[in-house]
Amino acid sequence: MLKKVLFFLAIVSFITSLAMPLQAMAKEPVELDKDSYHDHVYHEYYLRHDAMRPHFNFYYDLLIDRYQPELQEEWRLIVNERETLIKKYKELKKEGKLKDPVEKDESWKTEHQNIHERFLNAVKERNDEAIEEVLPDLLALQKEMNEFLKSQIKPE
């Protein structure tokens, strides 16, 4: 029972925390084509807003703990690596030492979008089996994104 209450409170907290960035986004509309939308959202709200990452990470922690506990250790290693990579990325960007960004190919973008749509639908439907099934795919995407960040901060 306590786990359910804590899970519910975490979800409410997560949803509430989204209100502030969404209000800011509404004040400054950005015209984006469909292809660049995901990249913009990722960079704007995940990399640049330090206050959002703990919410997302905690939400994923709760879901992995509930549906795929055997992935918990690997997930936390990936998140820790991601935090280190983001810190390095920001340092290099501030120093003007980042190489020109490389675009992800269309197949990666399509796969990424499909996995996130499956995840969103599973969560919306509260479909335990679908959530359990998609979490390993989300973990693989996080690994790929870490590799991508590594390639972006690597010296030329």
Side-chain angles (χ1 to χ4, degrees), residues 10-56:
I11 298 299
V12 169
S13 174
F14 173 74
I15 292 169
T16 304
S17 70
L18 292 176
M20 217 163 48
L22 291 175
Q23 288 172 350
M25 190 170 66
K27 292 178 186 174
E28 300 174 22
V30 177
E31 290 294 324
L32 296 170
D33 60 42
K34 185 179 178 185
D35 293 333
S36 64
Y37 178 75
H38 175 268
D39 292 337
H40 172 76
V41 170
Y42 176 78
H43 287 287
E44 285 297 316
Y45 293 102
Y46 193 85
L47 286 179
R48 295 187 184 151
H49 293 282
D50 293 335
M52 292 302 295
R53 279 196 316 276
H55 291 275
F56 283 111

Side-chain angles (χ1 to χ4, degrees), residues 19-148:
M20 217 163 48
L22 291 175
Q23 288 172 350
M25 190 170 66
K27 292 178 186 174
E28 300 174 22
V30 177
E31 290 294 324
L32 296 170
D33 60 42
K34 185 179 178 185
D35 293 333
S36 64
Y37 178 75
H38 175 268
D39 292 337
H40 172 76
V41 170
Y42 176 78
H43 287 287
E44 285 297 316
Y45 293 102
Y46 193 85
L47 286 179
R48 295 187 184 151
H49 293 282
D50 293 335
M52 292 302 295
R53 279 196 316 276
H55 291 275
F56 283 111
N57 292 340
F58 185 60
Y59 173 67
Y60 284 120
D61 272 348
L62 290 172
L63 289 174
I64 289 171
D65 188 45
R66 180 173 179 179
Y67 294 103
Q68 291 277 353
E70 66 277 5
L71 299 176
Q72 193 66 261
E73 184 177 338
E74 184 178 10
W75 168 256
R76 289 198 175 125
L77 290 172
I78 290 167
V79 169
N80 290 338
E81 180 182 41
R82 168 76 54 85
E83 292 301 317
T84 301
L85 292 169
I86 289 171
K87 182 178 178 182
K88 184 67 173 172
Y89 180 89
K90 286 180 176 184
E91 288 171 5
L92 291 173
K93 184 173 183 167
K94 188 175 183 178
E95 296 170 3
K97 295 181 179 178
L98 277 181
K99 58 184 178 178
D100 291 335
V102 175
E103 284 288 318
K104 291 281 202 179
D105 66 11
E106 285 303 311
S107 64
W108 186 90
K109 288 179 181 181
T110 301
E111 177 189 7
H112 184 96
Q113 185 175 2
N114 288 340
I115 291 170
H116 276 280
E117 284 176 12
R118 284 179 35 225
F119 180 56
L120 177 62
N121 290 332
V123 170
K124 277 183 178 179
E125 296 169 5
R126 303 289 197 265
N127 183 332
D128 293 344
E129 292 169 1
I131 293 171
E132 186 174 335
E133 183 180 300
V134 76
L135 285 174
D137 295 334
L138 285 170
L139 186 82
L141 283 179
Q142 296 301 320
K143 285 181 186 177
E144 287 178 26
M145 188 52 74
N146 281 3
E147 292 303 315
F148 178 73

